[in-house]
Amino acid sequence: MTTVALETISLPAALEIAQRTIAYARSQNMTPIAVSVLDVRGALKAYLAEDGTGLLRADISRAKAWGCLGMGFGSRKLADRTPRNAYFTTALQAMSDGKAVPAPGGILIRNAAGEVVGAVGVSGETSDNDELCAMHGVEAAGLRGDPT
């Protein structure tokens, strides 16, 4: 049996994404946010929350990122599909024990070769702004964000 090693995001890169995501939110005077960065396996690599975030922001940010990895696309796409396919979204949330949130703010992280190396989820602002913060954080860290 051959084992294939998958490239995954490093701890320094995950921390940089989280820090730069929050820095962008501050530069735009947004409400306090929470950021979860997961590696390609779905393991939490970095989590940061600003003072003033709600208690559930940790779970929401992580679920946005986790859903991206599970489905292979950004959480906006899942949100866009929900009105047309509510039964699937309900089943997905039940099957994943609530670990998938169908709202923008979760994006895939891709390396220079275009491979998925992780995901980031943001919660605390509007969903559109959550996604914007995630994109800025990933790109400022030198990687490629993929919200689609």
Side-chain angles (χ1 to χ4, degrees), residues 54-67:
L55 180 62
L56 291 176
R57 296 300 177 188
D59 295 328
I60 296 167
S61 65
R62 189 171 184 173
K64 286 180 179 183
W66 195 86

Side-chain angles (χ1 to χ4, degrees), residues 57 60-61 63-68 73-83 89 92-93 100-107 120-123 125-131 147:
R57 296 300 177 188
I60 296 167
S61 65
K64 286 180 179 183
W66 195 86
C68 292
F73 50 77
S75 60
R76 176 178 294 279
K77 193 174 203 176
L78 185 57
D80 290 345
R81 289 180 174 187
T82 296
T89 302
L92 175 66
Q93 288 177 309
V101 172
I107 63 170
V120 60
V122 177
S123 181
E125 245 296 332
T126 65
S127 292
D128 289 339
N129 282 339
D130 289 345
E131 182 180 89

Side-chain angles (χ1 to χ4, degrees), residues 9 13 16-25 27-28 30 33-37 64 68 73-76 104-110 118-123 126-148:
I9 192 160
E16 184 174 0
I17 288 169
Q19 291 168 337
R20 289 181 178 262
T21 298
I22 287 178
Y24 179 76
S27 76
Q28 301 300 305
M30 294 183 185
I33 62 168
V35 183
S36 292
V37 182
K64 286 180 179 183
C68 292
F73 50 77
S75 60
R76 176 178 294 279
I107 63 170
L108 296 171
I109 303 167
R110 295 187 181 274
V120 60
V122 177
S123 181
T126 65
S127 292
D128 289 339
N129 282 339
D130 289 345
E131 182 180 89
L132 185 62
C133 289
M135 286 295 294
H136 276 274
V138 170
E139 291 175 1
L143 293 162
R144 198 175 88 211
D146 182 0
T148 61

